[in-house]
Amino acid sequence: MAFPTSLNSQITDSITQVNTKVLGDAPAMAMGNLFVTTSQALSNAAHNATNNQQQSYVTMQASTAQAVATLLTVDTASTGMATHKIY
């Protein structure tokens, strides 16, 4: 200490050392928090992309099934109209 106080010098030295350690650990803690936050954001982005891809596949499958059903019923409808005129 620079000047004498009523506290024990060992106490003030230990508190000073603890405060120095906390200040020294702060950048590492900040970077650790940044890395965790960034990894969580990237994980959410990957999960959202996977989910969107799965949902688009379901939509494409439904539209394909509807298109095939439409193509198959066009022939049946025209055949039905042609046979209706015959009978």
Side-chain angles (χ1 to χ4, degrees), residues 18-75:
V18 168
N19 287 340
T20 304
K21 182 187 181 322
V22 169
L23 290 175
D25 289 345
M29 293 295 291
M31 289 304 294
N33 287 335
L34 175 66
F35 292 154
V36 168
T37 304
T38 304
S39 66
Q40 286 178 341
L42 289 173
S43 297
N44 282 337
H47 181 262
N48 288 338
T50 304
N51 189 31
N52 288 338
Q53 188 177 21
Q54 289 173 344
Q55 294 301 318
S56 68
Y57 285 152
V58 169
T59 304
M60 287 185 282
Q61 185 179 10
S63 64
T64 302
Q66 185 66 39
V68 169
T70 302
L71 288 173
L72 292 176
T73 57
V74 167
D75 186 39

